[in-house]
Amino acid sequence: MKLNERSLAFYATCDSPADNSGFLYKRGERHTAYHRRWFVLKGNMLFYFEERESREPVGVIVLEGCNVELCDSAEGFAFAIRFGGTKSRTYVLAAESQAAMESWVKSLSRASFDYMRLVVRELEKQLQDMRLGLAGGCGGSWKPKPPGLEQSRERLPALPAIPPKENGCAVWDNVVGAEQPPDTSGCGGHDEDGSPRPPPLPPRRRVSNSEATSAMAESPSTFCRLHEQYSREVARLRQDWQQRQRGPRP
């Protein structure tokens, strides 16, 4: 694979977000001394600079076909990037703390395309399982109804018909002008089969156009007088009811 140095330098220093960045100690290939370098991880490429403000990277490590593992070293918090093959180089790095070492090991282990390919396959499998589950829950598989359900519904008694409504209130057979037996008990009584009969509703009074026009033409003073008159009547009826609730005085 051919790498363009200018393109790599631009990619390493551009404003694109980095997956991880920070100072690490890098052991030399020929000399075993550690040098402090600024590392930037972008995708599957690990760039390292001499200083944080450097404009060009000193080198780059392509994280493909490698393993990231902890290693024993004189420097604390050390880990190694090992590539397959006998002549491949092993990069030994060391962090400044335990938390930094764990963060770098996790980031570098997930940087390769092989890892991303495994993640994509796992997500595709989960998505397929979810689609199959939704298809099964939305009626994808037909199940016959038990035969006893329809028979039990036939044995149930028929519900009484809902009475019609007029102006939002239920209306029984009390058409204006129909003959109805007088009821002096103050309640609806019972039908022939013993079921309670609802009390009859008062007949509706139809207002003619002339009355409606005259009512609309009345002055506000007429409404005030009617309001006061009915208020006094309601107060008197309420007082009588309270006295009946208390009972006769001894």
Side-chain angles (χ1 to χ4, degrees):
M1 180 177 62
K2 294 183 180 181
L3 299 178
N4 190 318
E5 294 183 2
R6 293 183 179 180
S7 300
L8 286 178
F10 174 78
Y11 179 61
T13 57
C14 67
D15 296 335
S16 62
D19 298 323
N20 203 345
S21 61
F23 283 104
L24 293 174
Y25 293 92
K26 176 180 173 294
R27 191 177 69 178
E29 183 178 3
R30 296 180 180 180
H31 304 283
T32 58
Y34 284 85
H35 300 279
R36 193 169 183 257
R37 297 287 184 259
W38 176 258
F39 282 79
V40 176
L41 175 64
K42 289 187 175 183
N44 64 340
M45 294 186 179
L46 180 62
F47 300 94
Y48 52 96
F49 302 79
E50 289 186 359
E51 299 293 339
R52 184 173 183 177
E53 293 79 10
S54 300
R55 296 184 178 181
E56 293 185 359
V58 177
V60 58
I61 305 173
V62 182
L63 302 172
E64 293 296 336
C66 61
N67 296 323
V68 182
E69 56 188 23
L70 303 180
C71 65
D72 296 332
S73 176
E75 193 73 20
F77 313 112
F79 58 94
I81 303 176
R82 301 182 185 277
F83 290 86
T86 56
K87 297 182 180 181
S88 298
R89 179 183 174 182
T90 299
Y91 294 87
V92 180
L93 307 174
E96 296 180 347
S97 63
Q98 179 72 21
M101 182 191 67
E102 294 177 358
S103 175
W104 275 107
V105 170
K106 184 183 298 183
S107 301
L108 297 175
S109 301
R110 299 177 178 179
S112 64
F113 281 107
D114 292 335
Y115 177 82
M116 296 300 298
R117 190 180 297 110
L118 293 177
V119 172
V120 171
R121 289 179 181 176
E122 181 64 23
L123 292 176
E124 289 178 348
K125 182 180 178 182
Q126 294 180 9
L127 179 60
Q128 185 178 3
D129 295 341
M130 291 176 61
R131 288 177 177 175
L132 293 176
L134 292 176
C138 295
S141 58
W142 179 80
K143 296 181 180 180
K145 297 181 180 180
L149 181 60
E150 298 295 336
Q151 297 178 2
S152 60
R153 290 181 179 178
E154 294 178 357
R155 297 194 192 99
L156 295 175
L159 296 175
I162 301 175
K165 291 185 177 182
E166 183 176 350
N167 292 340
C169 301
V171 178
W172 289 269
D173 296 334
N174 58 342
V175 184
V176 178
E179 296 182 1
Q180 297 180 358
D183 188 0
T184 59
S185 61
C187 60
H190 296 79
D191 294 333
E192 297 178 357
D193 55 355
S195 60
R197 184 173 65 249
L201 296 177
R204 295 177 57 189
R205 179 175 177 272
R206 301 184 179 276
V207 182
S208 61
N209 295 332
S210 60
E211 293 179 353
T213 305
S214 60
M216 294 176 59
E218 289 182 353
S219 60
S221 60
T222 305
F223 173 78
C224 295
R225 289 197 302 271
L226 291 175
H227 185 271
E228 294 178 358
Q229 179 180 353
Y230 283 112
S231 298
R232 290 194 296 270
E233 183 176 358
V234 169
R236 181 179 56 81
L237 293 175
R238 184 173 182 273
Q239 184 177 4
D240 295 343
W241 176 80
Q242 291 178 352
Q243 292 179 358
R244 288 195 300 271
Q245 293 292 330
R246 297 171 184 171
R249 297 181 180 178

